[in-house]
């Protein structure tokens, strides 16, 4: 083959590759948009149910202590950026950045007041994230866009998310026909219905607007729904029916049997952690009985007094020099407590990076 022919062939191949790349480049945004739209629709369908876990609350809906509470109120929306697989030096830099933000007066130490202020800011971040997600969820269950959702509209969407045909369910509900759902789904529906009507602000009209729907999904956003949440927790833990909790009731083990030593250790941790929380935090007047009012104050994420107590507890964990403040070296050393991620060689070049 002549030199001229070789050059011509190479030029033709290069043009072909370039055209192919340009076609893919122009086609990609449309495909990505379609993918994002598909994912968004799926997310809407999945988020019409109240979440099992509420960020920034000390206790779960089922009465369990929130194991990630410290990280949630310290990291806020940045919590997902800290994980065990992240590069330690990268996580250390993030933690140093956070320390400089918490250190409001820039004296290179964090006081309880500064930590309290930071906790309140991070809790507000979780609140705003819930508000944003609620807008998408409300849009998913308000098909006629009238700004209100009936229980039947929600029930149709819920059952459709469980695999039932949406049109058939809507028709059966309209005609008051039996939906023929399994026992577990029926129990969930009854619980959701009770919660739905609790979220319906007076005067009750059996319709939820966007704000009321937010309370339905996130009871921490409404004082009335927070009371309802506390009532449900007390009902599950209260063994003698006096609507109060004793220490023995609060630390009672979940239903189940201990089958081996590992399970026994887990149960021992359960009792130890709950006993400490009951005696040192929840039982405000120290009379060994927790009322619904005390539990409500404990559960309120925007309670500034609770935030200050939490700040003091967090500082006490890492305050090795016992000066009631946190220095950068201390917070890096106890990074696993604050972020859930353990930093290796935490002290290396700390002062230089700071």
């Amino acid at each position: 083959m002549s030199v001229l022919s070789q050059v011509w062939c190479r030029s033709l191949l290069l043009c072909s590759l370039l055209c192919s790349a340009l076609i893919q480049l122009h086609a990609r945004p449309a495909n990505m948009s379609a993918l994002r739209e598909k994912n968004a629709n799926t997310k809407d369908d999945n988020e019409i149910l109240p979440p099992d876990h509420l960020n920034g609350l000390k206790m779960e809906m089922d009465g369990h202590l929130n194991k990630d509470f410290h990280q949630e109120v310290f990291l806020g929306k940045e919590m997902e950026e800290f994980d065990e697989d992240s590069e330690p030096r990268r996580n250390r830099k993030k933690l140093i950045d956070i320390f400089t933000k918490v250190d409001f007066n820039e004296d290179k130490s964090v006081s309880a007041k500064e930590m309290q202020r930071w906790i309140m800011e991070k809790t507000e971040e979780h609140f705003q994230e819930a508000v944003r997600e609620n807008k998408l969820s409300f849009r998913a269950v308000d098909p006629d866009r009238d700004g209100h959702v009936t229980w039947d509209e929600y029930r149709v969407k819920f059952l459709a998310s469980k695999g039932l045909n949406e049109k058939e369910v809507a028709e059966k509900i309209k005609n008051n026909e039996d939906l023929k759902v399994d026992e577990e789904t029926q129990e969930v529906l009854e619980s959701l219905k009770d919660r739905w009507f609790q979220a319906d602000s007076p005067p009750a009209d059996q319709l939820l607007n966007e704000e009321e729907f937010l309370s339905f999904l996130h009871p921490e956003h409404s004082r009335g729904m927070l009371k309802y949440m506390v009532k449900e927790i007390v009902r599950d833990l209260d063994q003698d029916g006096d609507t109060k909790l004793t220490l023995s009731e609060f630390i009672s083990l979940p239903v189940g049997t201990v089958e081996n030593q590992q399970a026994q250790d887990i149960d021992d941790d359960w009792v130890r952690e709950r006993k400490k929380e009951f005696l040192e935090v929840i039982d405000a007047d120290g009379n060994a009985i927790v009322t619904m009012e005390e539990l409500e104050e404990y559960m309120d994420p925007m309670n500034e007094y609770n935030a200050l107590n939490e700040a003091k507890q967090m500082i006490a964990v890492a305050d090795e020099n016992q000066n009631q403040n946190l220095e950068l070296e201390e917070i890096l050393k106890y990074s696993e407590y604050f972020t859930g991620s353990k930093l290796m060689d935490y002290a290396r070049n700390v002062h230089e990076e700071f």
Side-chain angles (χ1 to χ4, degrees):
M1 183 181 291
S2 67
V3 174
L4 184 62
S5 297
Q6 290 178 1
V7 171
W8 182 82
C9 287
R10 288 174 181 170
S11 300
L12 184 62
L13 179 61
L14 182 61
C15 287
S16 176
L17 291 171
L18 182 60
C19 289
S20 175
L22 287 171
I23 289 171
Q24 290 180 10
L25 181 63
H26 286 290
R28 191 172 296 140
N31 293 336
M32 291 294 285
S33 298
L35 182 62
R36 278 197 299 268
E37 186 176 344
K38 181 180 179 181
N39 288 340
N41 290 336
T42 303
K43 185 177 181 182
D44 289 351
D45 291 341
N46 291 336
E47 288 185 353
I48 65 172
L49 270 174
D52 292 329
H53 174 75
L54 301 172
N55 288 330
L57 259 69
K58 300 196 75 169
M59 191 175 287
E60 307 284 6
M61 292 286 291
D62 58 5
H64 285 62
L65 298 180
N66 179 2
K67 299 291 186 182
D68 298 323
F69 178 73
H70 302 302
Q71 291 95 321
E72 289 170 0
V73 296
F74 183 74
L75 297 175
K77 63 184 180 182
E78 296 175 333
M79 186 175 175
E80 294 180 1
E81 296 182 15
F82 285 84
D83 57 67
E84 294 180 359
D85 297 328
S86 295
E87 201 275 318
R89 189 176 181 84
R90 179 169 168 266
N91 280 351
R92 184 170 59 250
K93 186 177 184 304
K94 287 181 187 175
L95 194 49
I96 292 171
D97 289 341
I98 290 174
F99 180 87
T100 60
K101 294 174 183 175
V102 184
D103 181 21
F104 186 68
N105 64 4
E106 299 181 356
D107 65 350
K108 292 185 170 52
S109 69
V110 171
S111 67
K113 281 290 186 181
E114 286 175 320
M115 185 67 83
Q116 177 198 30
R117 172 180 169 272
W118 181 256
I119 288 173
M120 296 299 292
E121 286 183 9
K122 297 296 107 178
T123 302
E124 181 62 28
E125 281 185 8
H126 290 305
F127 266 51
Q128 293 308 315
E129 181 64 24
V131 170
R132 285 190 292 271
E133 290 178 355
N134 182 67
K135 287 184 179 296
L136 295 175
S137 302
F138 188 77
R139 199 178 304 156
V141 296
D142 183 26
D144 53 13
R145 300 292 188 266
D146 65 350
H148 294 86
V149 180
T150 67
W151 165 246
D152 284 343
E153 284 178 329
Y154 177 79
R155 192 160 45 138
V156 168
K157 291 293 183 182
F158 166 72
L159 291 174
S161 73
K162 305 291 279 185
L164 279 69
N165 183 283
E166 186 170 334
K167 290 184 178 179
E168 290 180 4
V169 170
E171 190 65 26
K172 285 184 177 182
I173 289 178
K174 182 179 178 181
N175 297 327
N176 291 319
E177 296 178 21
D178 185 12
L179 295 173
K180 296 180 180 178
V181 297
D182 60 79
E183 185 177 345
E184 182 181 351
T185 301
Q186 185 59 43
E187 287 180 2
V188 173
L189 268 174
E190 290 173 2
S191 175
L192 288 173
K193 186 176 182 180
D194 186 27
R195 183 170 175 153
W196 181 274
F197 288 107
Q198 289 290 333
D200 185 10
S201 301
D205 54 10
Q206 300 185 5
L207 299 171
L208 297 191
N209 58 29
E210 187 173 320
E211 183 178 352
E212 291 168 329
F213 192 71
L214 174 64
S215 297
F216 170 72
L217 293 183
H218 290 270
E220 74 274 19
H221 284 253
S222 158
R223 196 70 188 186
M225 284 300 289
L226 194 62
K227 288 178 182 290
Y228 169 75
M229 182 177 173
V230 167
K231 182 180 176 183
E232 292 291 292
I233 291 173
V234 170
R235 185 192 65 182
D236 291 340
L237 299 178
D238 181 22
Q239 297 173 7
D240 58 11
D242 65 352
T243 68
K244 300 174 184 177
L245 296 179
T246 62
L247 176 60
S248 61
E249 288 173 330
F250 190 73
I251 66 174
S252 294
L253 298 177
V255 176
T257 57
V258 177
E259 297 180 353
N260 53 49
Q261 184 58 45
Q262 185 177 5
Q264 179 66 60
D265 292 341
I266 293 173
D267 288 340
D268 289 344
D269 289 341
W270 162 279
V271 171
R272 185 165 50 252
E273 290 171 3
R274 292 179 73 85
K275 184 176 182 179
K276 183 176 187 293
E277 197 73 6
F278 184 98
L279 295 175
E280 297 181 11
V281 184
I282 308 176
D283 183 18
D285 57 12
N287 67 348
I289 293 176
V290 166
T291 64
M292 283 215 245
E293 290 75 21
E294 285 177 317
L295 192 57
E296 187 180 330
E297 288 301 312
Y298 169 79
M299 293 284 291
D300 183 4
M302 297 307 291
N303 185 317
E304 293 188 6
Y305 178 74
N306 285 349
L308 180 59
N309 277 341
E310 184 62 31
K312 291 176 179 178
Q313 287 183 47
M314 292 173 77
I315 288 174
V317 167
D319 184 21
E320 290 195 339
N321 62 10
Q322 299 294 303
N323 66 349
Q324 283 77 55
N325 289 327
L326 279 184
E327 279 71 49
L328 180 59
E329 290 86 348
E330 292 171 329
I331 208 169
L332 288 173
K333 184 174 182 179
Y334 288 85
S335 63
E336 192 167 10
Y337 173 80
F338 292 101
T339 70
S341 177
K342 194 169 185 177
L343 305 183
M344 304 303 292
D345 300 327
Y346 71 91
R348 186 181 60 187
N349 297 326
V350 164
H351 295 289
E352 288 81 355
E353 291 186 57
F354 187 52

